[in-house]
């Protein structure tokens, strides 16, 4: 997938198709537990007709800030769970997992949203270490910046009524 250094135009970024939103919503519950047990490794790659989608769970306070998606993906999805202190008590109750899943927010981002310009300038949606198609780098979201500017809300997908 070719990338350029041009500024990103939000109006031209594809929005998540319903099928993608449903598939991401289906990952909220299973990744709630996985992200508590192994916050550095929890992730899923979905192989859909619109390309591969990387789904990363993120728990502020527990998940390392350096988590990123492979730069070769067509879409990146973020499931943002509530703040979680590092001292997670095990075993984790089903009630806790259900509450975390209910409080989660999910977002999908098309690959074209991430740019090397954002990386150089410290923007929100960064394409880091992109060299070529053979060395695509990684997609990384500056979550601190995104929170301040509410940059994620445009890409939020609903987590209710996604069972069909």
């Amino acid at each position: 997938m070719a990338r350029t250094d041009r500024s990103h135009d939000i109006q031209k970024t594809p929005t998540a198709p319903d099928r993608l939103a449903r598939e991401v919503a289906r990952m909220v519950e299973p990744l709630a537990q996985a992200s508590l047990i192994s916050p550095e490794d929890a992730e899923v790659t979905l192989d859909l007709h619109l390309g591969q989608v990387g789904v990363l769970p993120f728990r502020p306070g527990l998940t390392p800030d350096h988590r990123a998606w492979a730069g070769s993906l067509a879409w990146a999805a973020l499931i943002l769970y509530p703040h979680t202190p590092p001292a997670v008590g095990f075993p984790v109750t089903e009630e806790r997992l259900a509450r975390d899943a209910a409080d989660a927010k999910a977002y999908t981002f098309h690959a074209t949203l991430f740019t090397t310009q954002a990386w150089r300038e410290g923007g929100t949606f960064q394409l880091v270490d992109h060299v070529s198609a053979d060395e695509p780098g990684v997609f990384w979201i500056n979550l601190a910046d995104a929170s301040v500017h509410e940059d994620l809300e445009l890409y939020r997908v609903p987590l209710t009524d996604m069972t069909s």
Side-chain angles (χ1 to χ4, degrees):
M1 184 171 288
R3 307 286 191 298
T4 68
D5 287 340
R6 70 187 175 334
S7 296
H8 175 72
D9 183 352
I10 290 174
Q11 299 298 330
K12 294 181 182 177
T13 301
T15 57
D18 288 343
R19 167 103 194 258
L20 171 58
R22 279 193 303 276
E23 294 297 327
V24 170
R26 287 186 184 130
M27 295 289 102
V28 171
E29 287 186 22
L31 286 174
Q33 182 173 6
S35 63
L36 281 172
I37 294 169
S38 186
E40 291 198 34
D41 301 320
E43 67 182 279
V44 172
T45 301
L46 304 173
D47 199 3
L48 303 176
H49 73 282
L50 49 99
Q52 287 192 322
V53 181
V55 183
L56 285 182
F58 191 86
R59 290 178 172 274
L62 184 63
T63 306
D65 290 339
H66 65 267
R67 292 297 314 266
W69 297 266
S72 58
L73 296 167
W75 289 83
L78 172 70
I79 300 175
L80 189 58
Y81 294 96
H83 183 270
T84 307
V88 177
F90 290 101
V92 177
T93 65
E94 287 185 31
E95 292 81 16
R96 160 80 186 271
L97 294 174
R99 188 175 57 249
D100 284 358
D103 292 339
K105 296 177 182 177
Y107 308 89
T108 57
F109 313 99
H110 192 267
T112 57
L113 184 60
F114 298 88
T115 67
T116 55
Q117 179 178 347
W119 177 37
R120 286 192 303 273
E121 297 174 358
T124 300
F125 302 100
Q126 301 181 18
L127 176 58
V128 181
D129 293 336
H130 172 73
V131 176
S132 67
D134 294 329
E135 297 179 57
V138 296
F139 301 142
W140 183 74
I141 295 178
N142 180 346
L143 286 174
D145 184 60
S147 297
V148 169
H149 299 293
E150 298 183 7
D151 289 344
L152 300 181
E153 286 308 306
L154 279 172
Y155 307 99
R156 190 168 173 187
V157 295
L159 294 179
T160 56
D161 300 324
M162 297 301 270
T163 56
S164 59

